[in-house]
Amino acid sequence: MPQPKTLLQKVWDVHVVAKDQASPSILYIDLHLVHEVTSPQAFSGLRQKGLRVRRPDRTVATMDHSTPTLSLSLALADDMAVRQLRQFESNCSDFGIPLYDLEHPERGIVHVIGPELGLTQPGMTIVCGDSHTSTHGAFGALAFGIGTSEVEHVLATQSLLQYRPKTYLVNFDGQLQPGVAAKDMILALIAKIGIGGGTGHVFEFAGSAVRALDMEGRMTLCNMSIEAGARAGMIAPDDATFEYLAGRQFAPRGAAWDAALDRWRSLPSDAGAVYDKSVTIDASKLEPMVTYGTNPSMGAPISQPVPDPEQEADPAKRAALEKALRYMDLQPGRPLTGHPVDVVFIGSCTNSRLSDLRLAASLLKGRKVADGVRLLVVPGSENIRRQAEAEGIDKIVRDAGGEWRYAGCSMCIAMNGDQLQPGQYAVSTSNRNFEGRQGKGGRTFLASPLTAAASAITGKVTDPRTFMS
Amino acid sequence: MKKFQILTSRLIPLPHNDVDTDQIIPARYLKVIDKSGLEEGLFAGWRYLPDGSPKPDFPLNQPQFQGAQILLAGDNFGCGSSREHAPWALVGWGIRAIISTSFADIFRNNSLKNGLLPIIVDEETHQQLFAMVADDPSTRVTVDLDAQTVKLPNGREAAFPIDEFSKVCLLEGLDQLGYLLKNEEKIAAFEQAMEK
Ligand code: SF4
């Protein structure tokens, strides 16, 4: 009997071009996504070496990180951003790469449009010069972030030198309580295993709570795998995956679809497959999560007080917590709920999809954002923006006193002018609460779209369940 | 890529765990289209005062650490984003090796492609090094990549792991792209078989 294989192993094995004794495998890459920030030096490298892009037809480019969200023109962008975006345009046109540029009706955040256009498919290898490439693993693809040198490798050879990562099974069993979402699941996992807990591994998310998630929730889950150090997170494809993909622009059609389905159905891990590590979390016991610190593992159920460094036995952890609370200017032992916020950001490749916006709108409808609070809602793609507008979500946001923007990374990374001022507090649906991530001196509480919307209404960190009884 | 063989240097202590790449170089420095000048943004959030002047107590600004080429870092160094600007900025400042107890995967990969050696040592050596630098900032260690050792001033040698392929690339200053390009035929054959 053949050795039972994990999902990762199956995808890996069929993409190995060659394997020498003394070197890493040459791994073939099915889809390479490219954005403006991490690619310029790779294109320069190609030019210097006189190389072409091997497979422009397996390469897709979008503008998202430093693009304005107030308008679709570069008039408001700063000079550096404009220069980078212009360079990106010439790189794509010189090397024949399809580009979703500022005027393109399907432009958006790279990890949002890949799935939305049906480019992301089960069993693929997908890379991008961006750590949240893990998002695409929601479809049962092996998808991970790479650096710019590797971007150049893939542009030139459609391949990468890689060692096979270890496997880490993450089981979420049970049913989520109302008000608890995929974002809370992943924040709970990261809080449990730590920011380096998944280093060297690829997560496979499984269990009844994962099966019950729609594709957008699964993307949220896989998106933040990297925040626990895992380069990728994967979920075995199932009917929900196939239903999502059917009919999308780049999804296979007709006989090719049937053939693809046969392949995709064989991807789930075999019974008895062995993982290097595993963890189980009872999803029915989860609460809405919120972070209090300066990395995504410093998070807790929203009802918990800010932890006290004095109670931390490990000196390194104590020092880290002290440093984080100093930056955040938070008092140990005090509840986080009720803490005033200045800005609420709903967006990013973690939580900017239609279902996220709908959830936020469900609380904002007929209510007002608290005085003095700035609410920024930034859809993940132009497609999502138009769909949300067709449903009236833009109007709900505006009527509540919030700002409704064009698609982009926006305040997730604060490269385009959407940013916190020093000392400001934000509840944010993005993925990183690192010092200064959302603007120099800015302070971030990571949470779900529901928690973000509830906090915008009260002007304080707020448990969304208080709005739901 | 610059060759890496033997390096003797003082150490710059940065005793924080989980230093993320947003700290190594904040996103506002990423709007560039080349690799030059990134060292200005290195640890910008920690290195400068709000008015932009150097923060006197940050190690990179202290006279005793000028010219040092090894960063002595806390656990899980380089977590977060995939930006290769992080190793570029470190190399631009003059760092050639980083000693820690662990590194984030993407950062480690990126470093190896830029002649920047990530050195993983055991907890005890790690603590000993921090103690030695606290005691005497002019403490020097010698990194021997071929032997895979860090030699401490007290004569102790700590071994560190590195995969053979990356080691050869660093020792010879080889770009990994060259290796991939040499395998072009295999890649083409694979594509043909797959796309049939
Ligand atoms: S939304 Fe944020 S995390 Fe996602 S790709 Fe953009 S900058 Fe990166």
Side-chain angles (χ1 to χ4, degrees), chain A residues 35 64-65 109-111 130 132 223 348-350 408-409 412-413 430-432 437:
Chain A
H35 68 69
D64 52 4
H65 280 64
I109 303 174
V110 59
H111 312 308
D130 196 289
H132 294 100
N223 173 272
S348 89
C349 57
T350 313
C409 295
C412 172
I413 191 161
S430 55
N431 40 54
R432 287 188 173 139
R437 169 80 180 188

Side-chain angles (χ1 to χ4, degrees), chain A residues 28 54 58 78 149 163 200, chain B residues 84 105 163 184 191 195:
Chain A
Y28 193 76
R54 180 179 181 85
R58 289 185 176 274
D78 72 74
S149 294
Y163 293 99
Chain B
E84 199 161 322
D105 291 334
D163 70 280
E184 233 254 272
E191 274 176 338
E195 285 168 358

